[in-house]
Amino acid sequence: MWWKWRKKATYDVVEYWNQREDPNSKIPNERNTKMHIDFVKSNINKADKILDFGPGVGRILPAYNKNNKITGYDISSKYEERLLKAAGEQKIDLNLIIEDKVLTKFSFKNNEFTTSVSISVLLHQPPEHITNIMCELARIAEKVIIVSWHDPKIPYDSIDEKRDKTKFCFNHNYKEICEKNNLIINSWDYKSEIKQVYLIYGKQ
């Protein structure tokens, strides 16, 4: 089971998802899922060209219109069959790209997409990856839609030798990352009851 992975000495993003049996540690909260879908749907247009960064099993696919051009980008093929089946059921034409490593630069062109979407994914990116990923998502798309775990009451993770290397959920300071990297926050909504931030940002 996935929790046995935590006994390992280090956290490797690709290896973690290759070994985890399901992308959700428990049955997904239907209310949160509906909120995520509604948030994405309300911030995209019918003909947008979309990159879904970390689509998993396709939980957010109902947010997309069949006229959207969807590219899915993931680092594990673990859930590929379930994702493509879900896309077929939703009548979504999904171009799935799978890399087996975390890239410092995506192969996509500047502004290749109208929108980058990443739901419940950035919390799994360690501090040494998060800034680059957020900047790359903004480079390749006109706007970026994010939902992520966030708790302003606890200290933010940093690159620190003392950090628990088995940790696989990270509380990032998204506002600070945007400010330091000339990324403009267009929308910010923190839902304290579920400790999630609903964020839309883009480049200057």
Side-chain angles (χ1 to χ4, degrees):
M1 301 299 289
W2 70 265
W3 56 82
K4 293 181 180 179
W5 188 93
R6 296 187 67 180
K7 296 180 181 179
K8 293 194 172 187
T10 60
Y11 169 63
D12 179 281
V13 184
V14 178
E15 185 178 6
Y16 173 75
W17 289 109
N18 282 339
Q19 295 194 22
R20 185 161 169 169
E21 292 301 323
D22 195 276
N24 301 103
S25 58
K26 57 185 177 180
I27 297 174
N29 182 307
E30 292 184 358
R31 174 172 173 266
N32 290 356
T33 297
K34 184 179 185 305
M35 288 168 61
H36 297 168
I37 291 171
D38 289 346
F39 178 62
V40 173
K41 185 181 292 187
S42 65
N43 286 287
I44 60 175
N45 296 315
K46 289 184 177 180
D48 281 358
K49 186 176 182 182
I50 295 169
L51 174 74
D52 191 323
F53 182 75
V57 296
R59 190 171 59 91
I60 304 302
L61 289 179
Y64 305 135
N65 185 281
K66 63 181 181 181
N67 294 324
N68 291 138
K69 294 181 179 179
I70 310 295
T71 296
Y73 179 92
D74 219 316
I75 56 174
S76 172
S77 60
K78 185 77 173 181
Y79 316 113
E80 179 178 4
E81 184 176 343
R82 291 169 64 185
L83 173 63
L84 295 177
K85 180 181 178 182
E89 292 172 349
Q90 294 289 328
K91 295 182 171 53
I92 297 293
D93 185 7
L94 175 67
N95 173 34
L96 180 60
I97 297 172
I98 297 176
E99 301 278 359
D100 60 356
K101 56 187 175 182
V102 178
L103 299 179
T104 56
K105 187 176 178 64
F106 300 152
S107 59
F108 307 114
K109 300 176 182 177
N110 293 353
N111 291 330
E112 184 166 338
F113 301 95
T114 311
T115 309
S116 296
V117 176
S118 189
I119 308 300
S120 299
V121 173
L122 295 192
L123 72 157
H124 294 294
Q125 309 306 318
E128 55 267 34
H129 296 162
I130 188 64
T131 296
N132 183 71
I133 287 173
M134 288 184 67
C135 289
E136 277 293 280
L137 290 175
R139 178 185 67 80
I140 64 178
E142 296 172 17
K143 68 177 177 182
V144 185
I145 298 175
I146 300 293
V147 174
S148 185
W149 170 63
H150 177 65
D151 189 347
K153 294 182 179 180
I154 67 175
Y156 295 106
D157 288 292
S158 61
I159 300 175
D160 185 341
E161 291 182 358
K162 296 180 181 179
R163 193 184 79 210
D164 179 2
K165 300 297 184 180
T166 65
K167 187 180 224 179
F168 60 89
C169 288
F170 303 91
N171 184 45
H172 299 298
N173 190 336
Y174 297 110
K175 285 186 175 180
E176 183 178 274
I177 293 170
C178 287
E179 182 179 357
K180 288 184 175 179
N181 293 278
N182 297 317
L183 301 173
I184 303 300
I185 294 177
N186 299 308
S187 176
W188 175 278
D189 183 14
Y190 180 63
K191 301 185 184 298
S192 58
E193 69 278 12
I194 55 175
K195 292 185 172 59
Q196 290 184 347
V197 62
Y198 286 55
L199 165 66
I200 300 176
Y201 73 91
K203 50 191 168 292
Q204 287 188 343

